[in-house]
Structures are given as C-alpha cells and as structure tokens.
Amino acid sequence: MIKKEKENPTQKETGAVRVYGVLRDEILTMKLAPGSAIDEVSLAERFTLSRSPIREALVRLSADGLVTMLPNRSTVVSPMNFSQIPEFLDALDLVQRVITRLAAMHRTEAQLIAIRKAEVAYEKALKICVKNGNSQGMIEKNYDYHMAIAEAAHNSYFTDVYRRLLEEGRRMLHLHFQFQTLDEHKTADQIGSDHSLITNAIEARDVELAEKYAHQHAAQFRGRFMQFLNRNLTSDVQINYP
C-alpha cells in the first residue's frame, strides 16, 4: 500500500486540478472509452493522492457531463448515446445559426478582435493537430472560437445552451477529426476554412451570410460525422469462399 502524506488545502486543490485535467483529456480523446468504469482506489495510487482530491476531480467531470456518478457510488465515463445524435445535430445547427446571426448583429469591436484571435489560435492548433494526430488542442481552441462568437451574441440563454452543446460534442469532434485525417489529401486550411467565412460575415455585420455559413458549418459536420459512422473499413478485404 502506498503511504500518502497529509495534504494541506493547497496541495489538495492542486491534486484535484491535475487529476481533472488528465482524466478530462483522456475522456475527450477516447483513451477512456465511453461506459468504462473509473476506480477511485486505482486513481489514488496512480496519482499518489488520497481519495478526497480524486472525488473532487470526478465531481467536476460529472458537472461537465463527462462522467456519470451512479447511485451505488461507482463512477463510469459517460456513455455516448448514438441514438440521440440526430437530435443533437439538429439542436447544434439551429442554435449555432441563431448565435452567429446575433453575433453579426450585436458584436462590438473588442468582441470582433476576440473572435479573430480565437480563430488564429484555432488555426495554429489545427496545423499542429494535423501534423501529430493529437486532436485535444484543436478541440479546445474550436470551443474557444465558438464561445467567443457566443459572447458577441449578447444573449445569456442562447450562450448557455450553446455551451452545453459544444461540451457534449467534444468527443464527437474527436471522432470526426480522426476520420478526416484518414484522407491524406486534406490540409489544415481546408479543414478550417469554415471559420474564416463565419468571422468575415460577422465582421461585415451581414446577418444573413453569417447564419448561412453557420448552417453550412453544422451541415458539413453532420455529413462528415455520418460518413464516419457509416464507414466500411473492410470493403477492400477479399475473402475467397469455398
């Protein structure tokens, strides 16, 4: 048994933050599969911590919707309900269109600068992602970009709904990106071109064009994700039947 030193509040907080960050990355990149059990004792040994900061980290992950704490005190990685994906994609499309339209209508100059900065950060993360295959940085910067647009929409109710949809869609985005990178001809500029169109429309205060590009962005994500679900990895396998 590993002996752990008594933790002061600062160490406890730092430990919980560290565990939260590591587990969050592993869940979002599917290293921890949906539905898999999470054992507090094993995590305490892995991070050389008591179970208290482990529980704190799991509570935060539960608030993010990434883990589910069951009545019997066990915890699992939140399952992905594929039967609800069409509903999710419909909601994402509608809310994204509304958010982007409102941003084009109400954005300030400071908010436009923030959107541009978030777009540049996303493009940098995307290039790194295409190069090394690790999608985590790209997923985070994609979230930041869309939330910068949401802030410019000036409607806290729509922003809260959009935030929830983007949070729930992170693992889908990882799967979607992994599928896109199977196409060796896809470049980072091609993958990220949608954002530039959206930002330009917001800058021009063209509400109709902003909504159009937001819809196209959601529709392309829908199409590519459904391609991922329908992919046939064995189509070229030849089997000789007797």
Side-chain angles (χ1 to χ4, degrees):
M1 183 164 215
I2 297 176
K3 184 177 180 181
K4 305 175 185 66
E5 296 181 3
K6 187 176 180 181
E7 299 156 350
N8 63 42
T10 303
Q11 290 173 325
K12 179 179 176 182
E13 180 182 359
T14 302
V17 170
R18 179 163 60 93
V19 173
Y20 168 82
V22 172
L23 293 183
R24 185 173 180 274
D25 287 352
E26 292 181 351
I27 292 170
L28 292 176
T29 57
M30 309 292 278
K31 290 178 182 176
L32 285 175
S36 59
I38 295 178
D39 180 54
E40 290 184 15
V41 175
S42 298
L43 289 176
E45 293 179 354
R46 173 184 173 185
F47 291 99
T48 320
L49 292 168
S50 72
R51 293 177 66 177
S52 181
I54 301 296
R55 288 195 198 97
E56 288 186 26
L58 294 179
V59 168
R60 285 190 63 189
L61 290 167
S62 177
D64 290 344
L66 295 176
V67 304
T68 302
M69 307 183 87
L70 303 176
N72 62 0
R73 297 180 63 84
S74 62
T75 304
V76 299
V77 177
S78 295
M80 293 181 69
N81 189 343
F82 286 95
S83 67
Q84 289 187 319
I85 285 177
E87 295 178 15
F88 170 85
L89 294 172
D90 281 346
L92 178 64
D93 181 15
L94 181 59
V95 176
Q96 187 159 276
R97 285 161 52 198
V98 172
I99 284 285
T100 309
R101 185 182 185 92
L102 289 174
M105 190 181 301
H106 299 302
R107 60 88 179 162
T108 65
E109 288 302 315
Q111 287 167 335
L112 178 62
I113 291 171
I115 292 169
R116 283 289 185 196
K117 287 178 66 175
E119 180 189 352
V120 171
Y122 168 78
E123 289 171 351
K124 289 180 179 178
L126 181 57
K127 289 177 181 177
I128 294 172
C129 187
V130 169
K131 185 176 181 179
N132 64 21
N134 186 340
S135 64
Q136 185 56 33
M138 180 274 295
I139 291 172
E140 295 296 334
K141 297 306 178 184
N142 179 75
Y143 175 86
D144 292 344
Y145 170 75
H146 286 288
M147 287 310 299
I149 293 175
E151 290 300 319
H154 294 273
N155 187 303
S156 60
Y157 291 97
F158 281 130
T159 297
D160 287 344
V161 173
Y162 196 40
R163 180 182 292 109
R164 177 186 168 189
L165 289 168
L166 292 174
E167 289 282 0
E168 289 187 15
R170 287 176 190 250
R171 286 185 290 179
M172 289 175 60
L173 186 58
H174 169 74
L175 294 175
H176 165 256
F177 178 79
Q178 295 299 104
F179 174 66
Q180 279 192 294
T181 55
L182 292 177
D183 185 350
E184 60 185 16
H185 302 295
K186 279 279 188 183
T187 66
D189 290 338
Q190 288 174 320
I191 296 173
S193 61
D194 291 355
H195 285 185
S196 295
L197 295 173
I198 292 171
T199 304
N200 290 341
I202 291 173
E203 180 175 19
R205 298 189 186 276
D206 190 328
V207 295
E208 300 298 335
L209 201 57
E211 181 180 346
K212 174 186 173 182
Y213 288 143
H215 171 61
Q216 288 180 356
H217 190 42
Q220 288 174 1
F221 176 68
R222 175 194 293 268
R224 290 167 184 160
F225 190 77
M226 297 313 292
Q227 279 183 318
F228 164 77
L229 293 180
N230 293 325
R231 74 200 188 287
N232 187 347
L233 301 180
T234 62
S235 60
D236 294 329
V237 175
Q238 299 298 317
I239 299 177
N240 296 318
Y241 295 96

